[in-house]
Amino acid sequence: MPAPTTATKDRKALGRLSLPERNFVADALRTETLGGVLLLLAAIAALVWANSGLQESYESVRDFHLGPASLGLDLSIGHWAADGLLAVFFFVAGIELKRELVAGDLKDPRAAVLPVVAALCGMAVPALVYTLVSVTGGGSLAGWAVPTATDIAFALAVLAVIGTSLPSALRAFLLTLAVVDDLFAILIIAVFFTDDLDFAALGGAVVGLAVFWLLLRKGVRGWYVYVPLALVIWGLMYNSGIHATIAGVAMGLMLRCTPHEDEAHSPGEHIEHLVRPLSAGLAVPLFALFSAGVAVSGDAIGEVFTRPETLGVVLGLVVGKALGIFGGTWLAARFTRAELSEDLAWPDVFAVASLAGIGFTVSLLIGELAFEGDEVLTDQVKAAVLTGSLIAAILASVLLKVRNAKYRKLCEAEELDEDLDGIPDIYEQDNPEYHLRMADIYERKAAEHRRLAEVTAGASEENDGPA
């Protein structure tokens, strides 16, 4: 029976990435890791500020209003952070998703099945867990979407600190899964958390997006054109009643992410490179600073585990996310041609799936939208998000530490570059020139060892002579 061809060969799930994709993932991780650290510091600062003698100053700053009331934008600092700065985060997420669709793992439908199925299961199972807990305890179902989101920056920060030797394929899996997760979280916000629509403002936003798209297709350049237009689109989208972050992801998806022959980088990649530090270093940390400041006490922590809504959020993040993503990955590998890479084991996948339970940024946002008008329950749900995310981070850290010895060997194999040409050897196995270079290197080493053997043998003969 003939061997299977490349086209029909079973795809390895979480197999080795191509070198360009690996380099892209590494660059993205470096920025997101720093952003995750800043996010963590901002969250800690918010908790300390809100639980100290300066609590009133925190609330006064967060609730301070500014902006043109005539344009419907007289918003509090907290709202500016959640609706304005977070739109920058979703703009970058839109570019990431577009790039994955046209040049990354999601370009090949067979490859896209794995992270998409994992992301969908990783959202459905936490929602189901929350619903079951709330129904059983007689709680509100309004927060079913709170535990469905994964925080990219926070998860990757933990990954960078704990899983230092994690194979690039697993890192890319988490990154891609989180991007897909963000897309569906945006759709949830648009469909389920939009109340009254202002069709005139919505129509204006759509026209603005059409102009944005047309200018991109015509090749018009200049930040002084796009930044004012983006602000107008954002303002109209906010006044339409649809959450303004939708404008960010829509504009991100419109950018071209495939370079032309005369371009080193596509416009999407160039703009993402410029905006990502602003998103990870400023927008998301400031959102965390003005969203994570909830009063935490022994009674409040106790209520997190006794009230059905908050318990549902914690269990959804810790249990639902891990089981949903792991189960979705297993189902995709079981019922498609994909097979788990022979370098990995299923406990590796479960360890990474546990990280997705860190649902900070978008979970806090959905919690605010779900329980808007009920400040007490909103704060309790925020405390539940913080608690669930912390438990998921600790659990994932323990699992990653246990598996880190194996990861280190895989990482060393990925990084090995014996011929010192700047390309890891594992990516040159099909290159005849690489093997010729390696043969030359080994021949020189063999010649050196023969010379040393002769020198050592001569010295031994001298020492064995008469005294």
Side-chain angles (χ1 to χ4, degrees), residues 256-279:
R256 176 168 58 83
C257 291
T258 50
H260 290 158
E261 292 183 0
D262 59 340
E263 293 178 332
H265 302 285
S266 67
E269 290 173 316
H270 176 66
I271 293 173
E272 181 189 17
H273 178 73
L274 295 175
V275 179
R276 185 189 289 274
L278 175 65
S279 168

Side-chain angles (χ1 to χ4, degrees), residues 152-169:
I152 299 177
F154 224 147
L156 293 179
V158 173
L159 194 63
V161 174
I162 303 299
T164 53
S165 301
L166 194 69
S168 58

Side-chain angles (χ1 to χ4, degrees), residues 82-450:
D83 294 275
L85 290 177
L86 212 55
V88 178
F89 167 79
F90 278 109
F91 175 70
V92 173
I95 300 176
E96 285 180 341
L97 181 62
K98 177 67 173 290
R99 187 197 167 280
E100 291 296 330
L101 288 169
V102 300
D105 275 359
L106 301 184
K107 181 180 180 181
D108 182 355
R110 294 172 300 174
V113 167
L114 190 67
V116 170
V117 170
L120 288 174
C121 293
M123 299 184 82
V125 175
L128 180 61
V129 169
Y130 177 92
T131 301
L132 289 175
V133 173
S134 290
V135 168
T136 303
S140 170
L141 296 180
W144 64 270
V146 175
T148 62
T150 294
D151 188 281
I152 299 177
F154 224 147
L156 293 179
V158 173
L159 194 63
V161 174
I162 303 299
T164 53
S165 301
L166 194 69
S168 58
L170 274 175
R171 291 173 179 262
F173 172 69
L174 179 63
L175 184 64
T176 306
L177 179 145
V179 170
V180 176
D181 185 292
D182 279 340
L183 172 66
F184 286 107
I186 292 165
L187 292 176
I188 287 174
I189 292 172
V191 174
F192 296 100
F193 296 102
T194 298
D195 299 324
D196 299 327
L197 287 178
D198 184 332
F199 288 100
L202 180 60
V206 171
V207 170
L209 288 171
V211 173
F212 189 89
W213 179 85
L214 185 62
L215 291 174
L216 290 172
R217 292 299 168 271
K218 293 294 183 180
V220 176
R221 296 173 179 261
W223 64 268
Y224 47 82
V225 174
Y226 291 103
V227 172
L229 178 59
L231 292 174
V232 170
I233 294 171
W234 176 86
L236 289 168
M237 188 69 75
Y238 176 83
N239 282 287
S240 72
I242 295 178
H243 201 271
T245 52
I246 304 298
V249 76
M251 287 184 279
L253 286 169
M254 289 181 182
L255 293 174
R256 176 168 58 83
C257 291
T258 50
H260 290 158
E261 292 183 0
D262 59 340
E263 293 178 332
H265 302 285
S266 67
E269 290 173 316
H270 176 66
I271 293 173
E272 181 189 17
H273 178 73
L274 295 175
V275 179
R276 185 189 289 274
L278 175 65
S279 168
L282 181 67
V284 174
L286 282 178
F287 167 77
L289 180 63
F290 293 109
S291 295
V294 296
V296 178
S297 63
D299 293 338
I301 297 299
E303 290 179 357
V304 164
F305 294 98
T306 56
R307 184 157 185 164
E309 295 91 347
T310 52
L311 181 61
V313 169
V314 173
L315 292 178
L317 288 172
V318 177
V319 179
K321 272 290 184 181
L323 292 181
I325 292 172
F326 179 81
T329 306
W330 183 86
L331 288 173
R334 174 68 177 82
F335 294 106
T336 70
R337 291 181 176 271
E339 295 179 358
L340 186 68
S341 173
E342 60 272 9
D343 292 331
L344 303 173
W346 284 109
D348 302 333
V349 181
F350 186 80
V352 174
S354 301
L355 265 181
I358 302 175
F360 196 84
T361 308
V362 183
S363 290
L364 290 175
L365 174 61
I366 295 177
E368 289 183 348
L369 297 173
F371 299 104
E372 190 173 11
D374 188 338
E375 291 187 10
V376 174
L377 186 52
T378 298
D379 283 350
Q380 290 175 342
V381 168
K382 286 182 179 180
V385 170
L386 295 173
T387 303
S389 298
L390 179 61
I391 294 173
I394 294 173
L395 173 63
S397 298
V398 172
L399 295 174
L400 287 170
K401 276 295 185 184
V402 171
R403 304 295 297 176
N404 210 43
K406 178 180 179 180
Y407 294 149
R408 190 176 297 112
K409 294 179 181 178
L410 293 176
C411 187
E412 289 171 356
E414 283 189 352
E415 297 295 336
L416 185 63
D417 181 19
E418 285 192 283
D419 59 343
L420 303 176
D421 66 342
I423 301 175
D425 296 341
I426 200 169
Y427 290 98
E428 296 192 284
Q429 297 304 308
D430 297 328
N431 183 3
E433 295 181 0
Y434 160 76
H435 293 288
L436 291 174
R437 288 195 300 271
M438 290 305 301
D440 183 55
I441 290 172
Y442 287 134
E443 286 170 3
R444 290 200 302 270
K445 287 183 177 181
E448 178 64 16
H449 282 293
R450 280 192 291 269

